[in-house]
């Protein structure tokens, strides 16, 4: 039955399954939102009363003004950043940017529900109250699934992507609950919960869907000049807005401020080492566009956990330095080995950009947390930064470091096990890979005299 | 005489008329700004005094900090969003993005004046005092004209576009005054004043300029692969920043917060139904890029009026659900009929993306307003949301709903009548349509060995 | 020895020099950051104590919330704006966007140090304390070097660019110290310190590197249709976010508000006159994409100094009006003469977009400052706007105007002398110019049936 649902073995006809999934799931979302989701007190017309009751002096202290600019930057990263980063394939740009759009638009709705049930369910009313922070978290949650898509780019159908997202968001919410609530780990920029999880989730699915004869599509698994320029749009918007990503949900005031500075520095450092390694590993010192598009971002991934801590500016540079190198080495040496020995076909190299830097970021966070001192943070700063309140008031930074490390392992385990177990069939035939013509309206005429053949000036 | 001004019948030579219009109008703007426009008290060096007099505790309560991030998002939508959305034509990308730029840059100046005369003229001094909210409103006003350009893309000269903008902005300001001030309707995101007006304005002009022999340019009325990718840049920036568009001028605090959430949800929902309908109406379930580029945005258009109301999160999803479907159906079935039976040649399908969803958005706003209750909004919330103050203190929500519906009819009437009556001649010959070579420097050489013919990796 | 370092005469092999420079400099950055750079009190965990001590009522008054949205806009201008503006060359898009990325990522680190030593070194501790304003200033500093790159685009190696940046940032910091601190001139948007300096710096280097036989690469010194569309992405993001650029570091409140309005208006005005002059100087009134991509921005450059003053809205329009014209005339008439008579090969025409409008902007600022009156500004406004405090409490506006003019001369002198003296060798051979294949991984196969040869709809 599921075979039929997915459109039959190796068929690319999704005329039944794709509309069915879109409509059924969207209707389900409407029903569930109707039952569960309401505005929180900062987005509700009762805000003026809430202000008076809580002695808030001005409208500007509505959380909207603290977080909305960062939210919009994150939103750009999800839709333009991830979408365009994947347009590099010569014949899969529609699939990259279009399916990314579809997956993200569905995923954010499901994420609002899943994350709401785990984190912001009001026990009195049974309602999930949402505000701008929930929108950011939903975008974050979807990021995990889009990372997984990176490993599978060109090899899966849109229906499979929607299934991947349904399960991915669900796993994400559970994993996030364990990490943030049960283990009380900090992970504001999601090195662990987003990148390590998403990366390993995608790799595990890619391993399940291994295609021994993928070389049938090999000539299409590459870029052309202008598709690489399109991909740079994605890279740059990711790179520029990563400070917003890592600071979007950190504490008001110094928390957001510091996270942005740290991420900015780590990213700058990544660029130089990615360029250096790219040049030294190629003949005649030429640069490889793949490295520039991807490894330059590794510093941002690796700062996801530690950005809000007092890692110091030079600490951030060191993180970027190492991760830019490691990520580029991954593209040069590890990706070919993964395919050869582990049967891992990783189209975008998410192993090198998300899985490994995310894992490293988790452990960096653990080390930085464990080495925090009252001298550097101040007593109050330590409590604010690590939320040593309530049940966790007596936790020491050493213990916190241990829980951070444990959290990282949880994220990886969820990614690998979850990705290995989800029911995902219906992938296109090997010779339809890396060519989005299977899913997008056919091209009709050949015009050899199109203007792009002319040049001027 | 006007024939001469426009450059002669069916001529594309604008060497006299285009520079003349640009310089005369820009000089007129300088003179009128000199007479009328000054900084408002929040942008003037007297701000510190104003703060003390009005007991404003901090610089951060300057309206700049409430609205500037949203303003920049709106600005991106106007220049990159609209500009790139129209680059999909294979030989009209310069015309799309370049003329969009020209029209918007002129229109915002004229809009500051027209809207200023109607809304922010200081009766004591006869001056228009401007601040960031005026800049946003000017961008909004121009959006109406750019929507009209969408219907005419590839078929009009830049001089015609500037004339269209002069009249369009003028009509917009009058219509907006009637709707917002006389009828006291609410329309913060402009479903009515921007989208319904702009859409019908463009369609009416297109009807006036009907070209029976447009099939002479038919081979150029289509896209190539990479021009569709360029267009996705426009789509995504419109989609991502639409929450800012609908919340940019709503009330501080909960008003902006709620409008952003509602728009975000409606847009997400639109994507799924647009994809679903696109797939089900095409052979083998393939997706049509036209639908993905346009119909995914219908939810944002339709939430323009209701976004600031307590429409509830699931209400927003329902609006997006319906409008994504309706818009896609429009592209598939209605656009061909409009051309065949009503002589409406609508290049970008603004009928389906702006006119109809805008109209629906107006009526949705009326219904939501009419069904508002004190229980849901609180008494204070009701007054704040609908501005039931001054002359309108006694208005009931039922009456408000009626006025909202009337406002929608006013917007449509202004669009149709205005577009049908403006003096617009001088369009290029049929065989120059959809080819911007008529207005942009000629191409000189053919290089068949351009690098984009090579591929690598 | 330096010849070896740069990779040998006219060699494009940078396999030793590029990685060496990247690693050595990045390690140096880490060491220097370790010694000197710390978080400032608004980004440090001691912020809560600082708030209490300074009686700051809310987290929202952290400078982060005043400046971060503008910072992100500036960041987009540096990486996407400058990067994509230079992609117009048919075979140098990787070089444009990729080297821009590398240079900027290195430059911002060095700028944080250089500007920190001159401006924010804490004398007690010997530390540089950084916050969001420092990040903006670092981006500004790098902008000067990227402008210089514009003059050299396609003619220099990445190693040369890094050397250019090292010296450029150093010169910038010294020049900025003289202008802002010693002369106490105001230049928030950097007409003088960024644009005039950067423009003349690039022109001087270009003069040093004059290539008599550059016509060997002439066929590549031009654009193709889609590379011009890519360049429009850069143009538009620069144009849209320029109000943020000029207002990013102005005074809180009215200062930022007014600077944004003035820049917005000047830019709009530039577009109309650039289009007018472009049309009137070409045959049949056609527009030249080069002018639209560049001269439309001249108003923003020219408002860099005066944007925060009370130049009035119509004053801003006049500035944009004149500079749009002057810049377009520059592209049409001056650039060819510069190459012919002064041996200045200026790839992007920075002379017309940055050097001249920047210089004019400096003098416009001087005039506006000199004509400031207490009547218009209020006594308090005058003190706030021009910082007539401390040692400068007794300065008159006339004196201020004189110092502003002197500052402009200092910026130009630094650019010309600095650019003429820096040690920069190792440029590629003439026939490798304007072709980034020399520095980017080779293309392998020819596929004449790439999809971009097909068109659809």
């Amino acid at each position: 039955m599921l075979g039929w649902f997915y459109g039959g073995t190796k068929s690319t006809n999704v005329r039944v399954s794709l509309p069915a999934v879109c409509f059924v799931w969207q209707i389900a979302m409407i029903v569930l939102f109707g039952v569960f989701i309401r505005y929180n007190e900062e987005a509700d017309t009762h805000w003026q009363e809430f202000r008076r009751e809580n002695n808030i002096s001005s409208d500007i202290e509505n959380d909207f003004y603290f977080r909305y600019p960062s939210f919009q930057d994150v939103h750009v990263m999800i839709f333009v950043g991830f979408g365009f980063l994947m347009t590099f394939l010569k014949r899969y740009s529609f699939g990259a940017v279009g399916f990314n759009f579809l997956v993200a638009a569905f995923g954010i709705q499901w994420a609002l529900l899943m994350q709401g049930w785990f984190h912001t369910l009001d026990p009195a009313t049974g309602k999930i109250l949402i505000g701008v922070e929930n929108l950011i978290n939903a975008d974050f949650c979807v990021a995990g699934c889009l990372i997984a898509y990176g490993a599978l780019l060109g090899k899966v159908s849109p229906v499979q992507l929607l299934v991947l997202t349904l399960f991915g968001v669900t796993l994400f919410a559970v994993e996030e609950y364990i990490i943030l609530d049960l283990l009380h780990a900090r992970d504001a920029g999601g090195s662990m919960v987003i990148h390590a999880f998403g990366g390993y989730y995608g790799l595990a699915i890619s391993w399940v869907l291994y295609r021994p004869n993928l070389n049938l599509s090999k000539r299409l698994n590459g870029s052309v000049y202008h598709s690489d320029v399109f991909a740079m749009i994605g890279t740059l918007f990711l790179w520029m807005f990563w400070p917003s990503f890592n600071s979007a949900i950190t504490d008001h005031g110094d928390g957001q401020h510091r996270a942005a500075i740290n991420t900015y520095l780590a990213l700058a450092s990544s660029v130089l080492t990615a360029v250096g390694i790219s040049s030294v590993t190629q003949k005649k010192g030429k640069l490889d566009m793949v490295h520039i598009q991807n490894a330059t971002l590794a510093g941002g991934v690796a700062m996801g956990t530690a950005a809000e801590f007092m890692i110091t500016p030079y600490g951030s540079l060191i993180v970027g330095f190492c991760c830019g190198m490691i990520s580029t080495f991954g593209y040069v040496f590890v990706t070919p080995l993964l395919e050869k020995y582990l049967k891992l076909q990783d189209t975008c190299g998410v192993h090198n950009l998300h899985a490994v830097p995310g894992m490293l970021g988790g452990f960096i966070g653990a080390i930085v947390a464990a080495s925090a001192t009252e001298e550097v943070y101040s007593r109050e700063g330590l409590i604010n930064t690590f939320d040593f309140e309530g049940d966790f008031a007596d936790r020491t930074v050493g213990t916190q470091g241990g829980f951070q490390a444990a959290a990282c392992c949880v994220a990886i385990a969820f990614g690998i096990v979850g990705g290995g177990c989800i029911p995902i069939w219906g992938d296109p035939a090997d010779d339809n890979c890396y060519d989005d013509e299977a899913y997008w309206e056919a091209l009709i005429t050949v015009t050899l005299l199109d203007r792009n053949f002319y040049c001027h000036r």
Side-chain angles (χ1 to χ4, degrees), chain A:
Chain A
M1 197 221 93
L2 271 161
W4 167 84
F5 169 75
Y6 280 117
T9 318
K10 305 299 181 197
S11 163
T12 62
N13 190 335
V14 290
R15 194 173 175 184
V16 172
S17 54
L18 182 58
V21 170
C22 287
F23 278 96
V24 170
W25 290 8
Q26 188 58 54
I27 290 167
M29 289 301 111
I30 291 173
V31 172
L32 291 168
F33 271 59
V35 176
F36 288 105
I37 298 212
R38 298 293 178 271
Y39 307 115
N40 74 10
E41 59 285 341
E42 303 196 274
D44 190 283
T45 41
H46 294 78
W47 159 249
Q48 295 297 339
E49 292 162 37
F50 181 83
R51 259 186 66 187
R52 277 193 301 272
E53 282 160 22
N54 291 272
N55 212 10
I56 295 166
S57 67
S58 163
D59 278 335
I60 196 87
E61 294 181 56
N62 191 304
D63 197 38
F64 183 79
Y65 302 103
F66 285 93
R67 306 215 183 269
Y68 191 71
S70 305
F71 160 65
Q72 278 295 13
D73 293 349
V74 171
H75 219 39
V76 171
M77 292 173 73
I78 300 299
F79 289 88
V80 164
F82 283 106
F84 273 85
L85 183 59
M86 298 193 287
T87 57
F88 72 95
L89 285 176
K90 73 182 83 157
R91 291 201 193 182
Y92 213 80
S93 302
F94 286 10
V97 76
F99 295 155
N100 182 83
F101 191 16
L102 172 63
V103 159
F106 165 67
I108 52 180
Q109 300 177 55
W110 182 229
L112 283 171
L113 284 163
M114 283 301 304
Q115 294 184 313
W117 284 321
F118 279 109
H119 290 284
T120 52
L121 196 69
D122 181 343
T125 60
K127 302 297 180 198
I128 297 163
L129 302 182
I130 63 169
V132 66
E133 192 169 340
N134 301 70
L135 305 191
I136 298 170
N137 276 314
D139 272 16
F140 279 1
C141 185
V142 162
C145 299
L146 297 178
I147 290 164
Y149 180 26
L152 306 169
L153 184 69
K155 301 178 295 182
V156 287
S157 80
V159 177
Q160 288 182 293
L161 284 173
L162 286 168
V163 171
L164 172 159
T165 307
L166 183 77
F167 284 88
V169 167
T170 310
L171 289 164
F172 185 101
V174 176
E175 164 230 27
E176 189 189 37
Y177 177 71
I178 296 172
I179 290 175
L180 302 188
D181 290 53
L182 301 187
L183 301 180
H184 198 69
R186 303 286 297 174
D187 195 18
S191 284
M192 305 182 283
V193 296
I194 301 170
H195 296 287
F197 165 75
Y200 285 107
Y201 181 60
L203 291 171
I205 298 173
S206 182
W207 180 81
V208 169
L209 296 177
Y210 177 65
R211 295 165 176 276
N213 302 311
L214 193 57
N215 55 1
L216 288 174
S217 304
K218 196 178 176 183
R219 70 191 173 85
L220 294 175
N221 187 5
S223 63
V224 283
Y225 197 75
H226 71 258
S227 71
D228 268 332
V229 180
F230 277 122
M232 279 304 289
I233 297 174
T235 298
L236 288 175
F237 276 102
L238 287 170
W239 193 92
M240 295 181 304
F241 288 164
W242 217 294
S244 300
F245 192 92
N246 285 352
S247 69
I249 58 163
T250 52
D251 288 343
H252 290 175
D254 64 300
Q256 291 195 279
H257 204 147
R258 187 167 58 251
I261 294 172
N262 287 332
T263 310
Y264 171 96
L265 292 174
L267 286 161
S269 183
S270 280
V271 175
L272 271 90
T273 53
V275 167
I277 299 294
S278 182
S279 176
V280 86
T281 56
Q282 308 291 322
K283 64 180 190 301
K284 298 181 87 175
K286 293 187 179 189
L287 299 172
D288 188 326
M289 206 60 181
V290 176
H291 309 156
I292 308 305
Q293 283 162 8
N294 294 281
T296 51
L297 301 168
V301 174
M303 288 299 286
T305 305
E308 62 177 327
F309 302 157
M310 295 285 284
I311 188 172
T312 73
Y314 67 91
S316 304
L317 289 183
I318 292 170
V319 171
F321 186 93
C322 298
C323 289
M325 279 176 60
I326 291 167
S327 182
T328 317
F329 272 122
Y331 279 95
V332 178
F333 300 112
V334 182
T335 297
L337 295 180
L338 285 181
E339 174 151 9
K340 200 167 172 191
Y341 296 110
L342 286 184
K343 302 189 172 177
L344 269 176
Q345 292 156 330
D346 178 4
T347 315
C348 295
V350 303
H351 174 266
N352 315 305
L353 175 52
H354 298 283
V356 170
M359 182 186 65
L360 292 174
F363 292 121
I364 290 164
I367 295 166
V368 177
S371 56
T373 62
E374 209 171 301
E375 192 189 334
V376 171
Y377 284 73
S378 84
R379 181 71 205 142
E380 187 180 1
L382 214 51
I383 292 169
N384 288 340
T385 305
F386 296 102
D387 265 351
F388 287 155
E389 286 167 336
D391 291 348
F392 305 96
D394 298 329
R395 191 181 269 191
T396 64
V397 292
T399 318
Q400 179 68 23
F403 278 103
Q404 295 280 145
C408 192
C409 301
V410 170
I412 295 167
F414 259 82
I416 293 175
V417 176
C421 298
I422 75 164
I424 189 159
W425 298 283
D427 34 316
D430 290 346
D431 54 355
N432 276 325
C433 284
Y434 307 125
D435 187 347
D436 59 15
E437 207 177 339
Y439 298 113
W440 295 86
E441 260 305 275
L443 313 167
I444 296 154
T445 32
V446 180
T447 11
L448 265 170
L449 292 173
D450 261 1
R451 180 175 290 174
N452 54 325
F453 287 43
Y454 293 80
C455 68
H456 65 132
R457 269 185 215 166

